[in-house]
Amino acid sequence: MGNLLGRNTQPSRVTEQDKAVLQLKQQRDKLKQYQKKITLQLEKERSLAKLLLKDGRKEKALLLLKKRRYQDQLLDKTENQISNLERMIQDIEFMQIEMTVIEGLKVGNDCLKSMHKIMSIEDVERILDETQESIEYQRQIDEMLAGALTQEDEDAVLAELHAITQGEDIAFPEVPTEPIPEVPEAARAQPERRGGKNKPDREMLAA
């Protein structure tokens, strides 16, 4: 029980403007009820005046019609009051919307000011300069690589890039690990002997 009594209640979200609108709507509804009541009463009095005239009670009927005329004027005033209340309710509700919009603009403006403090114009210019330098540096590297590679190398690089994007690996030829055997001296001397033997034959044919 103590916990229930000691529990902190949340602040009410009902503003003074909401209370004012509620009171105005209650007054409007009461006036509408009064308007409906007077309208029914006027209809009854009109019917009663007709009966009095039929009975020859003209003075009584005239008095009742005067009373009806006065109530009819009150009905017109009630209609004007209802219109004024409804207009005031609309003005307050529209003002609440405007206040919400203004509050949102204020929050947005404060947020922009905070962001401007974090990143100034000098910081933006510095970042743009650094970005431009990085782009220029990469362009120079691209030009150097483009000049150092042959067309065959370019094709191989593009093929490797295509294979990587497709999720496949390129099968490169295996490099032999065993040493290449040397050619014997006798095998290298045979072409020389053949060349020397054929030389006199060519000279005889030329003679």
Side-chain angles (χ1 to χ4, degrees):
M1 186 69 180
N3 292 334
L4 293 176
L5 295 176
R7 182 180 300 174
N8 294 329
T9 58
Q10 294 181 353
S12 177
R13 296 183 179 180
V14 180
T15 62
E16 294 298 327
Q17 292 81 8
D18 295 333
K19 294 179 181 179
V21 170
L22 180 60
Q23 291 178 358
L24 290 173
K25 288 182 177 180
Q26 290 175 347
Q27 294 176 3
R28 178 200 61 189
D29 295 339
K30 288 180 179 180
L31 287 175
K32 286 185 176 181
Q33 291 176 358
Y34 175 76
Q35 185 183 38
K36 185 177 180 180
K37 179 181 176 181
I38 294 297
T39 302
L40 293 175
Q41 187 173 353
L42 290 175
E43 292 177 356
K44 290 180 180 180
E45 290 178 352
R46 182 179 178 81
S47 299
L48 182 58
K50 289 181 179 180
L51 292 175
L52 291 174
L53 288 174
K54 288 180 180 180
D55 294 340
R57 302 169 64 181
K58 185 177 180 181
E59 295 294 332
K60 189 73 174 178
L62 183 61
L63 182 61
L64 188 61
L65 290 176
K66 289 181 178 180
K67 179 183 177 183
R68 185 178 181 277
R69 179 63 179 172
Y70 173 73
Q71 290 178 340
D72 197 9
Q73 293 176 354
L74 291 179
L75 192 63
D76 292 337
K77 292 180 180 179
T78 303
E79 182 66 28
N80 292 331
Q81 290 177 354
I82 292 174
S83 299
N84 292 333
L85 288 174
E86 290 181 343
R87 189 180 302 109
M88 186 173 295
I89 292 171
Q90 293 176 356
D91 292 341
I92 294 176
E93 290 178 342
F94 184 73
M95 181 62 67
Q96 286 179 315
I97 295 174
E98 286 186 333
M99 289 177 62
T100 303
V101 173
I102 292 174
E103 184 65 24
L105 292 174
K106 181 178 180 299
V107 173
N109 191 27
D110 293 339
C111 181
L112 287 175
K113 288 181 179 179
S114 300
M115 295 175 66
H116 291 162
K117 291 180 181 178
I118 296 174
M119 181 173 292
S120 62
I121 297 178
E122 291 78 9
D123 294 333
V124 175
E125 292 178 348
R126 178 180 54 80
I127 292 174
L128 291 176
D129 292 339
E130 292 177 355
T131 303
Q132 185 63 32
E133 292 176 359
S134 300
I135 295 174
E136 182 65 22
Y137 181 74
Q138 184 62 39
R139 186 185 63 80
Q140 294 177 0
I141 293 177
D142 294 339
E143 291 179 353
M144 293 174 61
L145 292 176
L149 298 179
T150 63
Q151 184 61 41
E152 184 178 357
D153 295 330
E154 293 284 350
D155 295 338
V157 170
L158 292 176
E160 183 179 2
L161 177 63
H162 180 71
I164 292 173
T165 56
Q166 297 297 325
E168 300 177 357
D169 295 332
I170 298 178
F172 292 100
E174 296 182 358
V175 179
T177 57
E178 297 179 358
I180 300 174
E182 297 182 357
V183 180
E185 293 291 338
R188 286 185 294 181
Q190 286 180 1
E192 296 179 358
R193 289 197 296 270
R194 289 196 193 96
K197 184 179 180 180
N198 294 335
K199 184 175 181 181
D201 295 338
R202 288 197 297 270
E203 290 177 354
M204 290 177 64
L205 291 174

